C-alpha cells in the first residue's frame, strides 16, 4: 500500500534495520505500520528519573545517578542463563558499584572514563546500584523516560529502541504540515521539534510545550479530514430522493407498534433532507432503546422506493447480525432484498453479495468494516447510515460514503454529546434527537450494591430466574489487557455456574470467533441460556426482550455512558427490569458515579456528567464517552484547541480545496497516508 505514496517516511517498519515481519506484525497490533507511525507514536507520560546526591538517597530508593565509569565493565554468569554486568562508577569523590542484570550487550556501550547517567535502585549498605536503565550522559541526561502505550506483543523497551532507531534515521526527512503562518501565529513547534521533544524531552516543561503543538497537529489533521469530507462530497449538493409515500404507508401498517412522537418528528426531518436537493448530513442522537433502528428503516425504505440502494455500517459483528435480522424481517415482506456482509461472511456468499450489490439486486446491505473493502461496488448507493459512528475513523466513514455519488448520510449514536461538541468532532451535521422512550416501557429499576450485599443480589436473581427470565452478568473491559478481561469473565463464569447449579450459565467474550458468538447470542435470544456472562461485547444493540435483569460487576470500572449503554440491553419488554451495579469504589468520584447511575435513566444527563468527570481525568470513562479518540489530544480538556484547529482547517480548505499549493504538499501526503491507513482492516 505504501508504494502509492513516494516517500520513505511512509514505508513499512520493515524498512528499518533489524525489523522483520514478526516485529512488524507485533507493531501492527498497536496500530503502527510505517516509520511515520513510529515517529508519531507519542508517550502518554514520562517517568521522571530523580537525581540526588548520594548521601540523601534512602535504601531501596529509585534514582538516577550521574558519574564517570571507573573500571572496565565485567560480565559474570550465574544460574541458568543469567548474567551480571558490573563496573565501578565515580561520583565526585565517591565510588559505587553498578550492576546490570541480564543485559550483557551493554558491555560494548560502556567505556572507562565515559560520562554516564544510570537509573536504578540504590542499596545503601552495599553502596551499589541495581540498574534498570543506561543513559549515556551526552545523549540525554534529562532524566525523563517516556512511557508508551504497549500491549503483550510489544514490550516498552523494544518500542523505545525502535522509536529511537526511527528518529536517528528518519527525523531529517520529516516535513512540516502546519503552514508556517499558522505555526507562527499560534507559536507552534515544527514537526521535527515535536517528535524530538515528545520522545526525548529535556525536562517536564519541554514535554508540555511539545505536547501543546502535538495536540494541535493531531486536531488539525482530523479537522482537515472532516472538512475535506464535507466539501469533496459535493459541496452540500446531492440528489433529491423522490420516495413513494404510498409504499411507505405499507411499512407503517406492517409495524407492530406506532411510532412515538419523537420518532415521527425525526423521520419527518430525515425525509425533508432526503427530498431536498442538498446532501443529507444528519446526526441522530437517542438513548439506547429509544428506537433509532426503526427510524433508520424508514430512511432505508424511502431511499429504496426512490430507486436507490442503502448501506448500514455498524461497529461489531453481533450488532450487524441483529440489525440484519430485524431489518430483514421488516422489509423483506415489502419486497426489499436485504444482505448481511461481515468479516465472517463465507467466500462464496461474499462473492454473490458483491455481484448483487453491483447489479442492483440487493437493495440494502448491513455490515461491519467489511463494507468498505474495495470489492464492494454499488450500482446506485443513495443512503449511507453509520451506527455508533464515533467508533469509526473519519477515513472509514469517507470510504463508505465514496462508494456512492454524494449519498445522503445519516449517523446515529446512543451516546449523546452536547451539540456544540458534536459540530466540532463530527463536522457540519444537523442534529436530531430522540428524547423519550417509546410508550409503554417500564423504567428500569437500578440499584448500587457493594460486594458485601451479594446475598440480596442473588435473592433478586433467583426471583427473576424462577419466573423464567434471563440475566446478563457483565464484567468490565479493562482496555490495557484483553487477557485480563477474559480472566475476569472466566472466573465469574465459574463462580456463577457453581452458585447457580440448576441454571444454564454460558460465557460469551470478544475473542471468540464470530460464528461462535452468534451461536451463543442466538441460543440466548431463544431462551436456551439462563445466565449469560459477558465482557462488554454486548455493549451495543443486542436485543433480547426476555432478559430483564443485568448484574454489572466492578461497575465503578466502567464509564457512566458505557454503564448506561449496557443497561439499555434490558428493559426492552413489557415486564419490569432490574439492573444491579456491584461496586466497592474507593474514591469519592467513584461513589458519586455509582449514585448517579443508580438514580437516573436519562442518557443525555449521564453523558453530560461523564464529560464533566472526564475533565477530572477519569481513567475508565474515556473509551466509552461517545467521542472519537485521539492519541495526544482530548476533545474535552483541549476543546479550545480543537475549535482553533477547525477554524484553521476550514480556511485552508477554502483557499486551497485540492491542497495543490506546493506549501501543502507534505500535508497532502500525510492525509493521503492517513486515508490509506484508516481503510486497513
Ligand atoms: P436503539 O437502536 O435506539 O437502541 P431500537 O431501535 O433497537 O433502539 O429499539 C428498541 C426496541 O424498541 C426494539 O425492540 C424496537 O422494536 C422497539 N420499539 C421501537 N420503537 C417503538 C415504538 N414506537 N413503540 C414500541 N416499541 C418500539
Ligand atoms: Mg441501535
Amino acid at each position: 500500500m505504501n508504494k502509492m505514496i513516494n516517500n520513505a517516511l511512509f514505508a513499512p517498519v520493515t524498512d528499518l534495520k533489524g525489523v522483520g515481519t514478526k516485529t512488524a506484525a507485533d507493531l501492527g497490533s498497536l496500530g503502527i505500520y510505517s516509520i511515520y507511525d513510529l515517529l508519531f507514536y507519542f508517550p502518554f507520560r514520562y517517568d521522571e528519573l530523580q537525581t540526588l546526591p548520594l548521601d540523601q538517597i534512602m535504601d531501596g530508593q529509585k534514582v538516577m545517578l550521574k558519574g564517570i565509569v571507573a573500571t572496565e565493565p565485567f560480565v559474570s554468569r550465574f544460574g541458568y542463563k543469567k548474567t551480571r554486568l558490573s563496573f565501578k562508577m565515580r561520583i565526585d569523590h565517591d565510588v559505587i558499584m553498578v550492576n546490570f542484570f541480564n543485559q550483557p550487550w551493554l558491555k560494548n556501550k560502556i567505556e572507562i572514563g565515559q560520562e554516564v547517567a544510570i537509573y536504578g535502585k540504590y542499596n545503601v549498605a552495599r553502596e551499589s546500584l541495581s540498574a534498570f536503565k543506561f543513559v549515556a550522559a551526552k545523549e540525554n541526561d534529562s532524566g525523563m523516560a517516556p512511557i508508551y502505550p504497549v500491549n503483550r506483543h510489544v514490550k516498552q523497551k523494544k518500542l523505545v529502541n525502535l522509536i529511537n532507531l526511527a528518529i536517528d534515521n528518519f527525523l531529517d526527512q520529516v516535513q512540516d504540515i502546519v503552514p508556517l503562518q499558522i505555526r507562527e501565529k499560534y507559536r507552534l513547534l515544527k514537526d521535527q521539534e515535536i517528535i524530538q521533544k515528545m520522545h526525548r524531552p529535556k525536562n517536564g516543561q519541554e514535554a508540555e510545550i511539545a505536547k501543546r503543538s502535538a495536540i494541535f497537529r493531531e486536531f488539525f489533521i482530523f479537522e482537515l479530514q472532516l472538512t475535506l469530507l464535507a466539501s469533496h462530497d459535493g459541496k452540500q449538493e446531492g440528489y433529491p430522493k423522490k420516495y413513494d409515500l404510498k409504499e411507505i404507508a405499507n411499512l407503517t401498517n406492517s409495524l407492530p407498534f406506532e411510532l412515538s412522537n419523537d420518532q415521527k418528528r425525526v423521520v419527518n426531518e430525515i425525509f425533508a433532507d432526503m427530498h431536498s436537493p442538498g446532501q443529507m448530513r444528519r446526526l441522530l442522537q437517542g438513548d439506547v432503546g429509544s428506537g433509532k433502528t426503526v427510524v433508520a428503516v424508514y430512511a432505508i425504505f424511502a431511499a429504496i422506493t426512490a430507486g436507490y440502494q442503502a448501506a448500514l455500517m455498524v461497529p461489531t459483528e453481533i450488532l450487524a447480525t441483529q440489525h440484519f435480522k430485524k431489518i430483514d424481517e421488516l422489509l423483506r415482506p415489502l419486497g426489499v432484498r436485504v444482505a448481511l456482509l461481515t468479516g465472517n461472511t463465507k467466500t462464496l456468499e461474499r462473492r454473490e453479495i458483491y455481484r448483487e450489490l453491483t447489479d442492483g439486486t440487493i437493495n440494502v446491505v448491513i455490515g461491519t468494516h467489511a463494507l468498505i473493502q474495495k470489492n464492494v461496488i454499488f450500482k446506485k448507493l443513495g443512503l449511507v447510515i453509520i451506527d455508533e459512528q464515533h467508533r469509526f475513523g473519519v477515513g472509514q466513514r469517507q470510504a463508505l460514503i465514496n462508494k456512492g455519488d454524494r449519498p445522503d448520510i445519516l449517523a446515529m449514536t446512543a451516546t449523546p454529546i452536547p451539540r456544540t461538541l458534536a459540530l466540532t468532532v463530527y463536522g457540519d451535521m444537523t442534529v436530531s434527537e430522540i428524547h423519550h422512550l417509546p410508550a409503554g416501557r417500564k423504567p428500569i429499576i437500578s440499584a448500587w450494591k457493594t460486594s458485601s450485599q451479594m446475598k440480596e443480589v442473588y435473592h433478586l436473581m433467583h426471583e427473576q430466574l424462577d419466573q423464567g427470565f434471563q440475566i446478563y452478568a457483565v464484567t468490565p473491559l479493562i482496555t490495557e489487557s484483553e487477557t485480563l478481561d477474559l480472566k475476569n469473565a472466566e472466573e465469574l463464569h465459574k463462580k456463577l455456574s457453581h452458585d447457580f447449579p440448576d441454571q444454564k450459565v454460558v460465557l460469551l467474550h470478544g475473542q471468540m470467533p464470530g460464528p461462535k458468538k452468534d451461536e451463543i447470542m442466538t441460543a440466548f435470544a431463544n431462551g436456551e441460556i439462563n445466565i449469560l456472562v459477558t465482557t462488554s461485547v454486548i455493549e451495543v444493540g443486542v436485543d433480547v426482550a426476555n432478559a430483564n435483569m443485568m448484574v454489572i460487576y466492578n461497575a465503578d470500572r466502567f464509564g457512566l455512558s458505557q454503564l448506561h449503554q449496557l443497561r439499555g440491553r434490558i428493559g426492552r419488554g413489557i415486564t419490569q427490569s432490574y439492573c444491579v451495579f456491584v461496586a466497592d469504589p474507593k474514591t469519592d468520584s467513584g461513589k458519586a458515579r455509582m449514585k448517579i447511575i443508580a438514580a437516573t435513566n436519562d442518557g443525555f444527563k449521564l453523558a453530560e456528567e461523564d464529560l464533566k468527570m472526564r475533565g477530572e481525568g477519569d481513567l475508565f470513562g474515556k473509551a466509552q464517552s461517545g467521542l472519537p479518540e485521539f492519541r495526544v489530544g482530548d476533545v474535552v480538556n483541549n476543546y479550545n484547541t480543537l475549535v482553533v484547529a477547525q477554524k484553521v482547517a476550514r480556511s485552508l480548505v477554502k483557499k486551497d480545496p485540492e491542497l495543490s499549493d506546493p506549501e501543502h504538499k507534505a500535508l497532502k501526503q500525510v492525509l493521503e497516508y492517513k486515508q490509506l491507513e484508516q481503510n486497513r482492516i
Side-chain angles (χ1 to χ4, degrees), residues 315-330:
T316 65
E317 176 98 25
I318 291 184
L319 193 49
T321 310
Q322 184 142 38
H323 271 337
F324 168 74
K325 282 184 193 140
K326 228 192 247 176
I327 293 171
D328 190 49
E329 196 178 285
L330 286 172

Side-chain angles (χ1 to χ4, degrees), residues 393-449:
V394 186
Q396 292 174 325
R397 283 182 261 156
Q398 183 167 19
L400 183 59
I401 291 162
N402 285 349
K403 290 186 185 290
D405 180 10
R406 290 171 265 159
D408 285 327
I409 302 162
L410 177 64
M412 307 199 292
T413 171
T415 336
I417 55 174
R419 269 165 199 264
T420 45
L421 200 51
L423 293 182
T424 356
V425 293
Y426 296 137
D428 274 329
M429 295 201 125
T430 322
V431 181
S432 287
E433 287 172 355
I434 302 184
H435 276 276
H436 302 284
L437 297 185
R441 294 272 177 78
K442 290 204 176 73
I444 300 167
I445 296 179
S446 298
W448 164 31
K449 298 284 173 194

Side-chain angles (χ1 to χ4, degrees), residues 286-294 314 319 323 326 387-388 412-414 540-542 569 572:
D287 234 342
V288 191
S290 60
K292 294 184 296 298
T293 314
V294 192
V314 301
L319 193 49
H323 271 337
K326 228 192 247 176
D387 199 6
E388 301 301 326
M412 307 199 292
T413 171
V540 275
V542 183
R569 300 302 114 229
R572 298 205 156 202

Side-chain angles (χ1 to χ4, degrees), residues 133-199:
K133 191 179 157 69
F134 166 80
V135 193
K138 263 175 257 133
E139 242 178 61
N140 175 358
D141 56 359
S142 72
M144 297 281 288
I147 308 292
Y148 298 92
V150 287
N151 60 20
R152 71 193 143 105
H153 303 293
V154 186
K155 294 261 151 34
Q156 195 64 238
K157 207 160 132 194
K158 174 151 190 189
L159 189 60
V160 170
N161 287 340
L162 290 170
I163 288 173
N164 282 335
L165 194 63
I167 294 177
D168 291 345
N169 291 293
F170 288 91
L171 185 64
D172 55 352
Q173 298 193 33
V174 174
Q175 292 173 319
D176 296 314
I177 61 163
V178 178
L180 179 65
Q181 198 198 343
I182 307 290
R183 229 172 45 228
E184 284 176 346
K185 180 166 174 192
Y186 295 100
R187 291 172 291 113
L188 299 165
L189 301 182
K190 293 160 88 65
D191 280 13
Q192 290 192 13
E193 291 172 307
I194 294 178
I195 295 171
Q196 178 79 38
K197 292 179 175 163
M198 283 298 284
H199 294 294

Side-chain angles (χ1 to χ4, degrees), residues 1 29 44 71 73 159 227 257 260 269 291 335 408 418 420 431 495 499-500 535 568 607 679:
M1 56 159 273
S29 72
F44 66 97
T71 61
L159 189 60
T227 311
F257 47 74
S260 69
E269 287 167 356
D408 285 327
T420 45
V431 181
K495 179 157 174 45
D499 295 351
F500 293 84
T535 59
N679 292 343

